[in-house]
Amino acid sequence: MILFKKSGDLGKWVETQQKKGETIGFVPTMGALHAGHLSLVDRSKKENDHTVCSIFINPTQFNDPRDFEKYPVTFEKDITLLLTSGASVLFLPSVKEIYPQGEKSFKNYELGYLDEILEGKYRPGHFQGVCMVVEKLLDIVHPDKLYLGQKDYQQCLVLVKLVSQLQLSPLPEVIVCPTLRENDGLAMSSRNARLKPIERMKAPSIFKALTFIKVNLHPGPMEGLKEQAGKFLENEGFRVDYIEIADMDDLKSITVWDGKQKAVALVAAFLGEIRLIDNLILGRSHE
Ligand code: AMP
């Protein structure tokens, strides 16, 4: 595995590979790697000649400065994991390398409705920061395929939209990979490491709430399904930001389900200081 810290050096390496006709898969991360991240690397390795993984804790996507300060940093462990994962390249840039002109954005990404609902509503500016960093990273890595986790469902839709607005060659294909979970159903997340033992025991209730919605969703009016799932989480000690049942493609809220519309249930909730998000595709049996 080659470690690059400078965009120019990585850019030249990518150019050399692409001149040989070889393909690049790209897995952007914020580090504190776990099996979920590695599953993206694994998928990319199967579908590309080379896999570039980046670790960059992007300051511009944190709406809460305390969350940024406390974000886990485990570079040494991450490098060891990546060495065994078979990634070809780790890109580990500094903040200055990504934002040489400073972190203030003068660009407004047109994300429409997606920037106003759910994560967009509860984390103002978050998706603007995500787009800012991903645009820069794509400009450096020029991947053929971009690998994202369904765990961050709304982010996947935002980045599909971003990619469609960029003038990139090649235009990367966005591949959304399934959410990896712990045995008790908790979606793997870098933030899980910050849960206190008692909170960690309660955390799988998010998946239970999503499963409750999936099992009880029947054609017709929702009849308080979200509210029941929300009450369950509150009784378990969560502070719920949102719990929503929405169209899979545009995340518009669904109140009456026709039995065919592709739907997803999404949750964001705090356990103590830690905000967890998760989602589950509805109306299918394989999840
Ligand atoms: P992060 O480091 O949290 O920014 O995540 C980097 C990438 O890994 C994003 O595309 C995430 O959606 C994805 N990811 C995070 N957690 C999981 C998981 N449990 N399963 C699959 N992919 C994940």
Side-chain angles (χ1 to χ4, degrees):
M1 184 173 78
I2 313 171
L3 169 67
F4 288 107
K5 291 192 166 184
K6 298 284 173 204
S7 323
D9 296 340
L10 172 57
K12 276 187 212 135
W13 180 87
V14 168
E15 207 183 324
T16 309
Q17 313 314 313
Q18 286 180 330
K19 274 196 181 136
K20 289 190 270 180
E22 293 176 355
T23 58
I24 310 281
F26 179 39
V27 180
T29 80
M30 297 209 296
L33 299 182
H34 51 68
H37 296 115
L38 299 181
S39 72
L40 271 53
V41 171
D42 221 44
R43 173 86 180 263
S44 169
K45 268 174 49 194
K46 290 195 181 109
E47 298 178 353
N48 299 279
D49 296 306
H50 303 283
T51 293
V52 175
C53 178
S54 66
I55 298 180
F56 179 65
I57 307 175
N58 175 34
T60 67
Q61 72 185 68
F62 286 84
N63 56 312
D64 176 355
R66 277 173 315 168
D67 190 24
F68 176 55
E69 280 157 26
K70 293 197 172 159
Y71 201 82
V73 181
T74 60
F75 291 152
E76 281 186 23
K77 189 171 153 237
D78 293 348
I79 291 172
T80 310
L81 280 173
L82 278 177
L83 279 169
T84 51
S85 77
S88 328
V89 164
L90 166 60
F91 182 42
L92 193 62
S94 64
V95 173
K96 191 103 198 149
E97 185 67 19
I98 296 295
Y99 299 120
Q101 340 266 243
E103 294 161 33
K104 193 157 171 46
S105 176
F106 299 99
K107 187 167 173 182
N108 184 49
Y109 295 91
E110 277 305 319
L111 304 172
Y113 181 69
L114 278 180
D115 209 9
E116 291 156 21
I117 54 158
L118 308 175
E119 292 300 288
K121 178 174 165 193
Y122 285 90
R123 301 187 66 189
H126 169 64
F127 287 131
Q128 293 293 322
V130 169
C131 287
M132 198 171 155
V133 75
V134 172
E135 180 177 12
K136 286 191 188 272
L137 290 170
L138 291 177
D139 212 37
I140 298 163
V141 182
H142 283 273
D144 297 271
K145 290 186 175 155
L146 170 64
Y147 292 84
L148 304 173
Q150 188 202 310
K151 157 87 172 30
D152 297 280
Y153 192 88
Q154 192 173 358
Q155 174 170 278
C156 293
L157 295 187
V158 163
L159 292 180
V160 165
K161 193 159 187 168
L162 173 77
V163 167
S164 74
Q165 292 169 6
L166 298 177
Q167 315 269 311
L168 287 168
S169 174
L171 194 65
E173 184 187 344
V174 177
I175 313 279
V176 178
C177 305
T179 303
L180 249 74
R181 299 180 180 281
E182 304 290 355
N183 288 337
D184 57 13
L186 175 64
M188 290 182 184
S189 163
S190 306
R191 288 187 173 85
N192 294 350
R194 292 183 51 210
L195 292 168
K196 296 188 180 120
I198 180 81
E199 293 166 347
R200 175 61 190 82
M201 277 168 66
K202 289 185 171 179
S205 293
I206 293 201
F207 184 61
K208 282 189 200 148
L210 290 167
T211 308
F212 169 82
I213 291 176
K214 185 178 171 105
V215 171
N216 290 288
L217 180 71
H218 303 295
M222 294 294 177
E223 287 179 348
L225 207 49
K226 289 190 282 194
E227 290 73 13
Q228 285 178 63
K231 274 256 143 39
F232 164 70
L233 285 178
E234 278 166 15
N235 289 339
E236 290 288 296
F238 288 81
R239 185 156 53 82
V240 178
D241 264 356
Y242 61 78
I243 180 153
E244 187 57 285
I245 300 170
D247 183 276
M248 243 181 98
D249 296 326
D250 60 17
L251 289 186
K252 294 250 163 79
S253 180
I254 301 174
T255 46
V256 180
W257 189 51
D258 63 6
K260 292 189 214 109
Q261 187 174 3
K262 289 191 286 173
V264 58
L266 309 106
V267 173
F270 280 90
L271 258 182
E273 275 187 16
I274 312 303
R275 186 173 184 275
L276 300 172
I277 63 169
D278 198 356
N279 65 82
L280 199 60
I281 309 286
L282 305 175
R284 286 203 222 147
S285 56
H286 71 263
E287 249 194 337

